[in-house]
Amino acid sequence: MDGDDANEGIPLSEDDFPPRYEPDLQSLKTDDGFGEAAFELLKETGMTLVYLVGRIPDMPYQRNESIRRGLIKRLMLLGKSLLSDVAHNSGYQQLQITRQIAETAANYFYLAQDDGSEERYDAYINQALAEEKHNLGVVAGEIKERGGDPLPIEERMRRSIERMASAAGVDFEAVPKTRDSGWPGAFDRLSAMSPTAYPAYRAGSSALHAGWSALLLQDLEEVEGGFSLNAQVEPRPQPLTMAGMLLTEAAIYYLEEDGDDAERQLFLGRLTDLSERVRSLDEAHERFQQSI
C-alpha cells in the first residue's frame, strides 16, 4: 500500500450489516420474481459497499492509490444510483449505469495490476488529458475564426484542464495524442477482468448512445401497422445480477490488493458469499430463460 495501513474509518460490528438475503431459486418462476431477488441482492451489495468505503481512512493518498480508492468509491456510488433508478425510475437507466460499473471495475483491475513502473497510471491520465487537449484544439480553431478573442468560458476550460494535468504531475503540453496514450481499449481491459464484463459493457452501449436496440427495448413497442410510443419500461434481472457480480468482484479484488487486515476480516467472507449468491441467481435466471 502507498498510504498508511492504520484504519480510522467508521467502526462496525456484525449487527451493523444488512441481513443476509438467500433467494429461493426453486420458487422463482417469472422474470418479475427473478428481478425482485436480484434487487434484494443488489441492496445487500450496495449497503455492504457503503460500509466498505466508509472504512477507508480519511487521509491524503499519493496519486496512484488515490485513483484506485477513488474508483472503488465511484463503484459504490454507481451501485446506489442503480438501486435508486430501479426503485424510482422503473430501471430506465439500468443499462447505462451497468456499463459505467463495468468500465469502472475494469479500470480498477487493470490499474491494480500495474507492474510497479506506473506506466498504466500514466496511460490512464494521458488518455483523459489527451481527449481534453483535443477539445481545446477544437476551441482554439473556433477562437481563430472569430478573430482571436476567447470567450470567458473558453478561458476557464483551458485553466481547468491545465489544473487537471498539474494535479496529476503531468506537463500538459507534453500530453500525447489519444492514440499514443498507451491506454488499451475497453475490450482488453474488460476481458482481462472477467468474461462477463465485456457483454455488460456492450449491452449498455446502445442505451448510452440512443441506438436502435435501446429504442426498441425501452421506448418503442411493435404494434399492428408499425410502432407505438406506449412501451412500458420494467426493471430487468440481467443488468441487476451483472452489476452485482461486477461490484462484488471488484470489491473483493480491492480487499486483496488494498485492504488492511481489519477490512478483510470484516468484508472478504461476506462479499465472497454475496458474489456466489448473485452468480447462482444469474445462472438460475439463464436456465429459466432457456426453458421458456
Side-chain angles (χ1 to χ4, degrees):
M1 292 177 60
D2 298 335
D4 190 341
D5 285 344
N7 195 320
E8 299 175 357
I10 58 174
L12 290 172
S13 70
E14 289 295 321
D15 294 337
D16 293 314
F17 286 96
R20 184 181 184 277
Y21 174 75
E22 182 70 65
D24 182 0
L25 300 181
Q26 300 302 318
S27 70
L28 298 177
K29 305 296 183 183
T30 66
D31 245 11
D32 285 345
F34 277 100
E36 290 173 7
F39 183 75
E40 291 301 319
L41 284 174
L42 189 62
K43 280 201 302 184
E44 186 179 346
T45 300
M47 181 58 70
T48 304
L49 262 64
V50 167
Y51 284 145
L52 175 60
V53 171
R55 287 279 301 178
I56 297 176
D58 184 14
M59 58 181 289
Y61 295 101
Q62 297 302 307
R63 185 194 72 173
N64 294 351
E65 187 171 8
S66 72
I67 290 171
R68 295 195 305 275
R69 292 183 185 273
L71 288 170
I72 294 301
K73 176 186 176 183
R74 182 175 178 82
L75 281 172
M76 178 270 291
L77 292 172
L78 287 168
K80 288 177 63 177
S81 295
L82 180 54
L83 287 168
S84 178
D85 179 64
V86 174
H88 303 294
N89 195 32
S90 300
Y92 189 77
Q93 296 286 334
Q94 268 186 300
L95 293 176
Q96 295 94 312
I97 298 172
T98 301
R99 171 174 169 147
Q100 292 181 70
I101 289 172
E103 183 142 15
T104 304
N107 286 353
Y108 179 84
F109 272 77
Y110 183 77
L111 290 171
Q113 293 169 9
D114 183 79
D115 61 6
S117 67
E118 301 190 358
E119 288 183 359
R120 293 190 176 191
Y121 294 94
D122 292 339
Y124 175 79
I125 296 292
N126 281 335
Q127 172 72 9
L129 292 176
E131 293 172 355
E132 299 290 358
K133 192 173 184 178
H134 172 76
N135 291 339
L136 284 183
V138 173
V139 170
E142 294 174 350
I143 293 172
K144 184 177 180 179
E145 288 184 4
R146 292 200 304 269
D149 293 324
L151 301 173
I153 189 173
E154 294 167 338
E155 293 179 323
R156 289 199 305 273
M157 281 177 59
R158 182 170 186 89
R159 290 196 300 270
S160 175
I161 294 169
E162 288 175 343
R163 280 198 300 272
M164 291 180 197
S166 177
V170 173
D171 177 6
F172 180 68
E173 297 304 325
V175 171
K177 293 182 178 180
T178 303
R179 65 173 180 268
D180 300 322
S181 70
W183 188 244
F187 180 81
D188 292 330
R189 283 179 287 116
L190 290 154
S191 298
M193 183 185 80
S194 166
T196 62
Y198 190 68
Y201 175 87
R202 290 304 309 165
S205 179
S206 181
L208 194 64
H209 298 293
W212 166 244
S213 61
L215 287 179
L216 194 59
L217 285 170
Q218 297 182 294
D219 302 292
L220 300 177
E221 181 179 358
E222 288 187 87
V223 296
E224 184 177 353
F227 300 92
S228 167
L229 300 183
N230 295 325
Q232 298 297 310
V233 177
E234 297 292 341
R236 291 188 289 157
Q238 296 97 324
L240 297 180
T241 54
M242 185 64 64
M245 286 188 286
L246 292 167
L247 290 169
T248 53
E249 288 173 12
I252 289 167
Y253 195 64
Y254 164 79
L255 288 169
E256 293 170 344
E257 294 296 314
D258 286 311
D260 61 25
D261 289 341
E263 288 172 335
R264 284 189 283 270
Q265 184 176 355
L266 274 170
F267 294 99
L268 191 53
R270 187 180 308 277
L271 284 164
T272 300
D273 175 52
L274 252 173
S275 179
E276 292 170 354
R277 281 181 280 143
V278 175
R279 189 170 295 279
S280 294
L281 180 65
D282 183 68
E283 292 170 353
H285 181 254
E286 181 59 32
R287 291 193 296 272
F288 166 74
Q289 290 287 92
Q290 296 296 328
S291 70
I292 59 177

